mmCIF file of all heavy atoms in Angstrom:
data_model
loop_
_atom_site.group_PDB
_atom_site.id
_atom_site.type_symbol
_atom_site.label_atom_id
_atom_site.label_comp_id
_atom_site.label_asym_id
_atom_site.label_seq_id
_atom_site.Cartn_x
_atom_site.Cartn_y
_atom_site.Cartn_z
ATOM 1 N N ARG A 680 -10.809 -6.320 24.931
ATOM 2 C CA ARG A 680 -12.053 -5.582 25.097
ATOM 3 C C ARG A 680 -13.028 -6.034 26.116
ATOM 4 O O ARG A 680 -13.631 -5.258 26.791
ATOM 5 C CB ARG A 680 -12.750 -5.171 23.735
ATOM 6 C CG ARG A 680 -11.974 -4.335 22.793
ATOM 7 C CD ARG A 680 -12.720 -4.190 21.505
ATOM 8 N NE ARG A 680 -12.948 -5.371 20.939
ATOM 9 C CZ ARG A 680 -14.158 -5.625 20.211
ATOM 10 N NH1 ARG A 680 -15.050 -4.913 20.277
ATOM 11 N NH2 ARG A 680 -14.279 -6.909 19.692
ATOM 12 N N LYS A 681 -13.150 -7.318 26.166
ATOM 13 C CA LYS A 681 -14.313 -7.876 26.982
ATOM 14 C C LYS A 681 -13.731 -8.672 28.280
ATOM 15 O O LYS A 681 -14.524 -9.244 28.957
ATOM 16 C CB LYS A 681 -15.067 -8.899 26.205
ATOM 17 C CG LYS A 681 -15.643 -8.370 24.962
ATOM 18 C CD LYS A 681 -16.956 -7.448 25.298
ATOM 19 C CE LYS A 681 -17.605 -7.037 24.111
ATOM 20 N NZ LYS A 681 -18.770 -6.388 24.241
ATOM 21 N N SER A 682 -12.369 -8.552 28.505
ATOM 22 C CA SER A 682 -11.742 -9.357 29.602
ATOM 23 C C SER A 682 -12.093 -10.811 29.623
ATOM 24 O O SER A 682 -12.365 -11.435 30.676
ATOM 25 C CB SER A 682 -12.227 -8.653 30.970
ATOM 26 O OG SER A 682 -11.682 -7.343 30.895
ATOM 27 N N GLU A 683 -12.170 -11.413 28.408
ATOM 28 C CA GLU A 683 -12.338 -12.793 28.453
ATOM 29 C C GLU A 683 -11.070 -13.669 28.273
ATOM 30 O O GLU A 683 -10.105 -12.977 27.889
ATOM 31 C CB GLU A 683 -13.333 -13.162 27.154
ATOM 32 C CG GLU A 683 -14.680 -12.577 27.156
ATOM 33 C CD GLU A 683 -15.482 -12.868 25.908
ATOM 34 O OE1 GLU A 683 -14.914 -13.396 24.901
ATOM 35 O OE2 GLU A 683 -16.733 -12.730 25.953
ATOM 36 N N THR A 684 -11.105 -14.949 28.350
ATOM 37 C CA THR A 684 -9.986 -15.641 28.051
ATOM 38 C C THR A 684 -9.938 -15.882 26.480
ATOM 39 O O THR A 684 -10.972 -15.713 25.880
ATOM 40 C CB THR A 684 -9.959 -17.025 28.689
ATOM 41 O OG1 THR A 684 -11.186 -17.834 28.144
ATOM 42 C CG2 THR A 684 -10.182 -16.897 30.237
ATOM 43 N N LEU A 685 -8.828 -16.308 26.000
ATOM 44 C CA LEU A 685 -8.719 -16.636 24.504
ATOM 45 C C LEU A 685 -9.644 -17.722 24.079
ATOM 46 O O LEU A 685 -10.260 -17.648 23.107
ATOM 47 C CB LEU A 685 -7.347 -16.928 24.213
ATOM 48 C CG LEU A 685 -6.991 -17.077 22.727
ATOM 49 C CD1 LEU A 685 -7.417 -15.933 21.867
ATOM 50 C CD2 LEU A 685 -5.550 -17.571 22.509
ATOM 51 N N GLU A 686 -9.917 -18.673 24.998
ATOM 52 C CA GLU A 686 -10.639 -19.810 24.697
ATOM 53 C C GLU A 686 -12.135 -19.396 24.510
ATOM 54 O O GLU A 686 -12.903 -19.789 23.694
ATOM 55 C CB GLU A 686 -10.520 -20.871 25.767
ATOM 56 C CG GLU A 686 -9.321 -21.613 25.818
ATOM 57 C CD GLU A 686 -8.210 -20.814 26.517
ATOM 58 O OE1 GLU A 686 -8.394 -19.954 27.236
ATOM 59 O OE2 GLU A 686 -6.986 -21.004 26.159
ATOM 60 N N GLN A 687 -12.584 -18.392 25.391
ATOM 61 C CA GLN A 687 -13.908 -17.936 25.412
ATOM 62 C C GLN A 687 -14.088 -17.094 24.101
ATOM 63 O O GLN A 687 -15.205 -17.155 23.477
ATOM 64 C CB GLN A 687 -14.162 -16.975 26.616
ATOM 65 C CG GLN A 687 -14.340 -17.742 27.866
ATOM 66 C CD GLN A 687 -14.372 -16.829 29.082
ATOM 67 O OE1 GLN A 687 -13.648 -15.883 29.153
ATOM 68 N NE2 GLN A 687 -15.311 -17.144 30.033
ATOM 69 N N ALA A 688 -13.021 -16.324 23.819
ATOM 70 C CA ALA A 688 -13.227 -15.363 22.569
ATOM 71 C C ALA A 688 -13.255 -16.328 21.414
ATOM 72 O O ALA A 688 -14.092 -16.117 20.399
ATOM 73 C CB ALA A 688 -12.100 -14.499 22.500
ATOM 74 N N LEU A 689 -12.404 -17.331 21.249
ATOM 75 C CA LEU A 689 -12.403 -18.159 20.162
ATOM 76 C C LEU A 689 -13.843 -19.011 20.050
ATOM 77 O O LEU A 689 -14.258 -19.115 18.855
ATOM 78 C CB LEU A 689 -11.268 -19.371 20.208
ATOM 79 C CG LEU A 689 -9.981 -18.628 19.829
ATOM 80 C CD1 LEU A 689 -8.826 -19.678 20.212
ATOM 81 C CD2 LEU A 689 -9.736 -18.311 18.500
ATOM 82 N N LYS A 690 -14.353 -19.389 21.176
ATOM 83 C CA LYS A 690 -15.681 -19.978 21.171
ATOM 84 C C LYS A 690 -16.599 -19.023 20.551
ATOM 85 O O LYS A 690 -17.588 -19.507 19.839
ATOM 86 C CB LYS A 690 -16.016 -20.531 22.516
ATOM 87 C CG LYS A 690 -17.341 -21.312 22.535
ATOM 88 C CD LYS A 690 -17.561 -21.727 24.011
ATOM 89 C CE LYS A 690 -18.868 -22.539 24.065
ATOM 90 N NZ LYS A 690 -19.143 -22.974 25.408
ATOM 91 N N TYR A 691 -16.611 -17.869 20.901
ATOM 92 C CA TYR A 691 -17.653 -16.831 20.442
ATOM 93 C C TYR A 691 -17.533 -16.675 18.947
ATOM 94 O O TYR A 691 -18.579 -16.643 18.254
ATOM 95 C CB TYR A 691 -17.290 -15.413 21.036
ATOM 96 C CG TYR A 691 -18.055 -14.251 20.607
ATOM 97 C CD1 TYR A 691 -19.340 -14.015 21.056
ATOM 98 C CD2 TYR A 691 -17.675 -13.506 19.423
ATOM 99 C CE1 TYR A 691 -20.090 -12.968 20.469
ATOM 100 C CE2 TYR A 691 -18.347 -12.511 19.070
ATOM 101 C CZ TYR A 691 -19.604 -12.208 19.481
ATOM 102 O OH TYR A 691 -20.449 -11.242 18.995
ATOM 103 N N TYR A 692 -16.287 -16.767 18.394
ATOM 104 C CA TYR A 692 -16.121 -16.732 16.940
ATOM 105 C C TYR A 692 -16.319 -17.982 16.106
ATOM 106 O O TYR A 692 -16.080 -17.958 14.852
ATOM 107 C CB TYR A 692 -14.978 -15.990 16.523
ATOM 108 C CG TYR A 692 -14.799 -14.520 16.806
ATOM 109 C CD1 TYR A 692 -14.078 -13.976 17.854
ATOM 110 C CD2 TYR A 692 -15.616 -13.609 16.054
ATOM 111 C CE1 TYR A 692 -14.133 -12.583 18.124
ATOM 112 C CE2 TYR A 692 -15.564 -12.228 16.276
ATOM 113 C CZ TYR A 692 -14.862 -11.790 17.286
ATOM 114 O OH TYR A 692 -14.837 -10.381 17.589
ATOM 115 N N LYS A 693 -16.538 -19.154 16.919
ATOM 116 C CA LYS A 693 -16.748 -20.382 16.272
ATOM 117 C C LYS A 693 -17.730 -20.355 15.208
ATOM 118 O O LYS A 693 -18.966 -19.878 15.417
ATOM 119 C CB LYS A 693 -17.086 -21.541 17.230
ATOM 120 C CG LYS A 693 -16.972 -22.851 16.716
ATOM 121 C CD LYS A 693 -17.330 -23.878 17.756
ATOM 122 C CE LYS A 693 -17.245 -25.251 17.189
ATOM 123 N NZ LYS A 693 -17.616 -26.374 18.062
ATOM 124 N N GLY A 694 -17.501 -20.836 14.028
ATOM 125 C CA GLY A 694 -18.541 -20.898 12.874
ATOM 126 C C GLY A 694 -18.570 -19.537 12.132
ATOM 127 O O GLY A 694 -19.124 -19.382 11.128
ATOM 128 N N PHE A 695 -17.650 -18.533 12.560
ATOM 129 C CA PHE A 695 -17.679 -17.276 11.948
ATOM 130 C C PHE A 695 -16.959 -17.339 10.483
ATOM 131 O O PHE A 695 -15.920 -17.918 10.326
ATOM 132 C CB PHE A 695 -17.006 -16.071 12.714
ATOM 133 C CG PHE A 695 -16.822 -14.926 12.130
ATOM 134 C CD1 PHE A 695 -17.606 -13.858 11.963
ATOM 135 C CD2 PHE A 695 -15.537 -14.660 11.558
ATOM 136 C CE1 PHE A 695 -17.488 -12.710 11.580
ATOM 137 C CE2 PHE A 695 -15.201 -13.459 10.969
ATOM 138 C CZ PHE A 695 -16.231 -12.347 10.972
ATOM 139 N N GLU A 696 -17.582 -16.828 9.486
ATOM 140 C CA GLU A 696 -16.991 -16.769 8.132
ATOM 141 C C GLU A 696 -16.630 -15.335 7.935
ATOM 142 O O GLU A 696 -17.532 -14.490 7.987
ATOM 143 C CB GLU A 696 -17.818 -17.281 7.115
ATOM 144 C CG GLU A 696 -18.209 -18.923 7.390
ATOM 145 C CD GLU A 696 -18.935 -19.382 6.206
ATOM 146 O OE1 GLU A 696 -18.870 -18.915 5.126
ATOM 147 O OE2 GLU A 696 -19.636 -20.468 6.391
ATOM 148 N N GLY A 697 -15.265 -15.124 7.736
ATOM 149 C CA GLY A 697 -14.847 -13.756 7.471
ATOM 150 C C GLY A 697 -15.252 -13.210 6.113
ATOM 151 O O GLY A 697 -15.761 -13.927 5.242
ATOM 152 N N GLU A 698 -15.125 -11.934 6.056
ATOM 153 C CA GLU A 698 -15.522 -11.157 4.856
ATOM 154 C C GLU A 698 -14.421 -11.610 3.709
ATOM 155 O O GLU A 698 -13.346 -11.755 3.971
ATOM 156 C CB GLU A 698 -15.437 -9.629 4.986
ATOM 157 C CG GLU A 698 -16.378 -9.248 6.120
ATOM 158 C CD GLU A 698 -16.176 -7.714 6.404
ATOM 159 O OE1 GLU A 698 -15.386 -7.466 7.179
ATOM 160 O OE2 GLU A 698 -16.976 -6.893 5.745
ATOM 161 N N GLU A 699 -14.988 -11.575 2.547
ATOM 162 C CA GLU A 699 -14.164 -11.853 1.324
ATOM 163 C C GLU A 699 -14.098 -10.562 0.509
ATOM 164 O O GLU A 699 -14.966 -9.664 0.566
ATOM 165 C CB GLU A 699 -14.538 -13.034 0.511
ATOM 166 C CG GLU A 699 -14.499 -14.317 1.207
ATOM 167 C CD GLU A 699 -14.858 -15.479 0.343
ATOM 168 O OE1 GLU A 699 -14.619 -15.396 -0.876
ATOM 169 O OE2 GLU A 699 -15.072 -16.498 0.946
ATOM 170 N N SER A 700 -12.969 -10.483 -0.348
ATOM 171 C CA SER A 700 -12.776 -9.208 -0.996
ATOM 172 C C SER A 700 -12.327 -9.541 -2.484
ATOM 173 O O SER A 700 -11.616 -10.547 -2.555
ATOM 174 C CB SER A 700 -11.898 -8.162 -0.427
ATOM 175 O OG SER A 700 -11.589 -7.132 -1.321
#
Side-chain angles (χ1 to χ4, degrees):
R680 288 182 300 140
K681 302 284 186 178
S682 299
E683 294 179 348
T684 66
L685 183 59
E686 292 77 25
Q687 290 171 319
L689 286 169
K690 186 177 179 181
Y691 175 83
Y692 286 110
K693 187 178 180 182
F695 174 79
E696 292 188 24
E698 300 173 275
E699 290 189 25
S700 173

